[in-house]
Amino acid sequence: MQGFTLRSEALRYLEEKLEPLSLAERQETIESIIENISKQDLKTPLIEKNTVDSVLQNLQSSSNDDGVLFKVFEAFDLIRYTYNIDTKKFLLWSSLHNKVPALHGNPVSKAHMLIEKYRTIHQRTARHRLFAPPAITISSHQDSSYSLKAVEHLLGSSSRESNVIVLGMLTQLKEGQFYLEDPTGVVRLNLSKAVYKGGLFTENCVVLAEGYYEERIFYITAIGFPPPEPADITLSHFPNLCPMPYAAINSHRLSENLKRAEQENSEAMFVFVSDVWLDQLKVMQKLHVLFAGYSMMPPTAFVLIGNFLSLPIVGSHSKTFEECISNLGTLISEFPTLMEKSQFIFVPGPNDPGLPHILPRPAIPPSFLGDFRKKVPKAIFTSNPCRIQYCSQDIVVFREDIISKMCRNSIYTPWEHEEKVDIPNLFVKTVIANGHLLPLPLNVAPIYWEYDHSLWLYPLPDVVVCADKYDPYTVTSTNSIFFNPGSLPRSNFSFKVYFPASKQVEDSEIADETI
């Protein structure tokens, strides 16, 4: 039925493995094996014994992974996928290229990064009910779907064509002149009469543009973003699409065991604090109050996000950083309950020590940590961004002053045309539609080309923490929660607490107390 043929050796091996199982277990195992094999990029329909053995080991690993409740993954460890247009599947990039991503890619890497972003959004958009024609049409009912065109369709038109919808990336090939680009070509835009719909439109954003093509110019009447897709729909199409380095067949987010454990741990909570300026006495005093308050009910984790000094680290400041982080270790060690039951996760900010301002940013180097490791041995220093897996949930933590950059580089400023503008909501819509944490031109927000996948938001995580100096906010959209804990010293010492069991975010503040 699937078009596969088992070699006799593979058949005997499979028979041995299935014989001890009950009829129901056999059927379930066979279905899982077929599902796994069909997702592999096989050169031949003949299935060898080693292929069956590998699949069974993956199944075993999958069941073992159900016991993992909490893990932190660095950006550089995440799995890179590539979308295959012919098979309509996401395949492992490493299996196709027989290498790991390089920190400094070549020019081809940049092209692949942009093409991969476009293909991922295009396949999602083409499947949406607005653009996918029904399998069975009834003549008495008018077809309500729209046709999605490529740029080459416009370039090949000999006469004016109206109401054309094109999915493409906004680019500025000449100063002050915008173009729409996709893998098939580039077309010049006229945006003078465009109506902008919901979002912050910057270069490198993938948009849906509607208008008419005339005299080699695409006149835009309306411009918006591709429709979003909740994670459950994405995973129903691509259950194996998980950026975490798992050996399991399907994403941990589909595990019923982990979902059950999530509900049973109803008291679990994550405390997110951003801009923890350790060189400020007031901040250290507030942290003492915070740790003292939670010492009687230790959270699952404290996620402390940079910057960790109020000033950028230059020259002699590196010694200051080492002293300040050591003082924090002394402070944490005053609370043995937290040391024992809570995890401390450190995510660097733009001004913290490490590589230049290019994302993803590695963890704070051990040479800057002094004796902190001895005082808090369980602490995890990770990259920016990073991913936290808690039971079946996927939490992304990202530190960047992204909203101000998006507003500065937006080609349309809604706050100048509307009375009330919810900037965080527009930002979240833009990020979700692009499936990417940083939909900005590379000269504004540099990215290591071959690690661009570490900033993907596809499938959408359960929680995205966008730590920013902007005011604190919480936005729920497309079944995902986006929030900014706020800058601790700038926002009256506010922070956020997330409860995974109820998927609720609580606004909190460190009150003034005598220490």
Side-chain angles (χ1 to χ4, degrees):
M1 287 172 64
Q2 302 294 328
F4 298 122
T5 303
L6 277 173
R7 295 276 194 189
S8 56
E9 189 182 10
L11 183 59
R12 285 194 296 271
Y13 176 75
L14 191 57
E15 189 179 11
E16 287 174 16
K17 296 294 182 182
L18 294 177
E19 193 174 9
L21 305 179
S22 67
L23 188 62
E25 288 174 328
R26 283 181 198 171
Q27 187 62 33
E28 185 180 349
T29 305
I30 289 171
E31 288 175 0
S32 298
I33 290 171
I34 292 172
E35 183 182 3
N36 184 277
I37 288 177
S38 64
K39 290 170 186 170
Q40 297 184 21
D41 189 24
L42 299 174
K43 307 298 181 187
T44 170
L46 296 174
I47 307 301
E48 305 285 350
K49 177 189 171 183
N50 59 350
T51 304
V52 176
D53 183 41
S54 174
V55 170
L56 287 173
Q57 286 181 15
N58 280 350
L59 283 171
Q60 183 64 37
S61 299
S62 175
S63 60
N64 292 339
D65 279 336
D66 279 354
V68 178
L69 299 183
F70 179 87
K71 275 188 180 180
V72 179
F73 297 93
E74 284 203 353
F76 298 97
D77 294 333
L78 298 180
I79 294 175
R80 181 178 178 181
Y81 289 90
T82 182
Y83 184 72
N84 187 296
I85 297 175
D86 298 326
T87 60
K88 291 184 170 52
K89 294 176 185 176
F90 280 93
L91 305 175
L92 290 174
W93 184 87
S94 56
S95 66
L96 297 176
H97 295 81
N98 295 318
K99 65 172 185 175
V100 294
L103 193 63
H104 301 291
N106 53 39
V108 176
S109 304
K110 181 181 179 183
H112 283 171
M113 173 188 73
L114 298 173
I115 290 170
E116 202 59 56
K117 177 181 179 180
Y118 176 83
R119 283 180 179 171
T120 301
I121 297 173
H122 184 273
Q123 62 82 25
R124 185 190 81 196
T125 308
R127 280 190 288 103
H128 193 271
R129 56 183 176 80
L130 289 174
F131 300 99
I136 301 174
T137 55
I138 303 172
S139 57
S140 59
H141 291 78
Q142 190 174 357
D143 185 8
S144 59
S145 65
Y146 297 91
S147 178
L148 201 60
K149 302 295 184 182
V151 170
E152 68 177 355
H153 173 82
L154 297 178
L155 301 178
S157 301
S158 56
S159 59
R160 171 171 168 161
E161 191 171 353
S162 302
N163 300 324
V164 183
I165 300 177
V166 181
L167 180 76
M169 184 178 290
L170 278 177
T171 56
Q172 191 175 187
L173 301 183
K174 296 179 182 178
E175 189 173 351
Q177 180 59 62
F178 289 95
Y179 293 77
L180 195 66
E181 185 173 356
D182 72 5
T184 67
V186 184
V187 63
R188 184 178 168 184
L189 299 180
N190 183 315
L191 296 165
S192 59
K193 296 182 179 179
V195 176
Y196 295 85
K197 298 183 178 179
L200 299 171
F201 296 85
T202 65
E203 287 180 67
N204 266 35
C205 272
V206 176
V207 298
L208 279 174
E210 181 179 6
Y212 61 91
Y213 181 68
E214 191 174 43
E215 295 180 355
R216 293 188 293 179
I217 296 177
F218 191 23
Y219 292 85
I220 305 299
T221 54
I223 186 168
F225 286 112
E229 183 176 85
D232 54 346
I233 295 178
T234 305
L235 292 170
S236 68
H237 290 282
F238 312 108
N240 65 324
L241 187 58
C242 176
M244 317 300 201
Y246 276 106
I249 281 180
N250 291 336
S251 169
H252 62 280
R253 300 172 73 177
L254 299 173
S255 169
E256 293 300 328
N257 290 345
L258 290 178
K259 288 179 181 178
R260 202 176 303 114
E262 190 178 289
Q263 294 304 314
E264 289 170 357
N265 299 336
S266 57
E267 295 182 0
M269 57 181 164
F270 288 78
V271 177
F272 293 90
V273 189
S274 181
D275 273 353
V276 186
W277 292 349
L278 302 176
D279 57 338
Q280 300 271 336
L281 178 61
K282 186 73 171 174
V283 170
M284 293 297 285
Q285 291 173 340
K286 291 291 185 179
L287 286 178
H288 189 283
V289 174
L290 178 72
F291 294 149
Y294 277 109
S295 59
M296 299 303 291
M297 44 174 187
T300 306
F302 288 95
V303 183
L304 304 178
I305 308 167
N307 301 309
F308 290 104
L309 291 185
S310 56
L311 297 171
I313 295 176
V314 182
S316 60
H317 287 179
S318 59
K319 189 66 178 174
T320 307
F321 184 91
E322 191 175 330
E323 292 171 357
C324 289
I325 200 84
S326 178
N327 293 338
L328 177 63
T330 305
L331 176 60
I332 293 172
S333 60
E334 292 179 19
F335 304 95
T337 6
L338 297 181
M339 293 266 291
E340 180 188 350
K341 297 184 179 179
S342 296
Q343 190 63 260
F344 288 85
I345 302 168
F346 291 81
V347 180
N351 295 332
D352 288 324
L355 291 179
H357 299 301
I358 306 174
L359 291 167
R361 192 175 179 82
I364 296 170
S367 56
F368 287 87
L369 300 180
D371 58 354
F372 179 88
R373 287 280 192 192
K374 297 175 184 175
K375 297 175 181 177
V376 191
K378 283 174 59 182
I380 297 174
F381 287 84
T382 185
S383 63
N384 175 27
C386 70
R387 289 198 179 231
I388 301 172
Q389 178 228 325
Y390 176 74
C391 294
S392 69
Q393 294 194 29
D394 188 2
I395 302 170
V396 172
V397 183
F398 181 47
R399 172 64 180 95
E400 183 66 44
D401 295 328
I402 180 66
I403 286 187
S404 58
K405 288 183 179 180
M406 292 284 288
C407 290
R408 278 200 306 268
N409 291 278
S410 179
I411 65 173
Y412 172 71
T413 50
W415 48 88
E416 293 179 1
H417 302 83
E418 303 170 29
E419 289 185 10
K420 293 183 179 180
V421 178
D422 187 346
I423 298 292
N425 194 40
L426 293 179
F427 162 71
V428 169
K429 284 183 177 179
T430 306
V431 166
I432 288 178
N434 278 264
H436 198 279
L437 282 168
L438 216 57
L440 282 166
L442 294 173
N443 63 311
V444 175
I447 296 171
Y448 290 111
W449 300 334
E450 292 199 4
Y451 283 97
D452 178 69
H453 62 281
S454 65
L455 292 111
W456 283 12
L457 297 178
Y458 190 76
L460 270 174
D462 297 278
V463 179
V464 180
V465 183
C466 292
D468 198 315
K469 65 183 179 184
Y470 193 81
D471 295 339
Y473 63 81
T474 302
V475 176
T476 301
S477 179
T478 324
N479 300 336
S480 290
I481 302 170
F482 286 71
F483 67 82
N484 172 26
S487 175
L488 186 68
R490 294 189 183 105
S491 58
N492 200 26
F493 298 97
S494 66
F495 62 97
K496 299 274 189 182
V497 182
Y498 175 63
F499 298 90
S502 60
K503 293 191 174 182
Q504 296 294 317
V505 178
E506 184 179 272
D507 297 331
S508 302
E509 189 177 295
I510 306 174
D512 288 319
E513 291 184 20
T514 306
I515 302 173

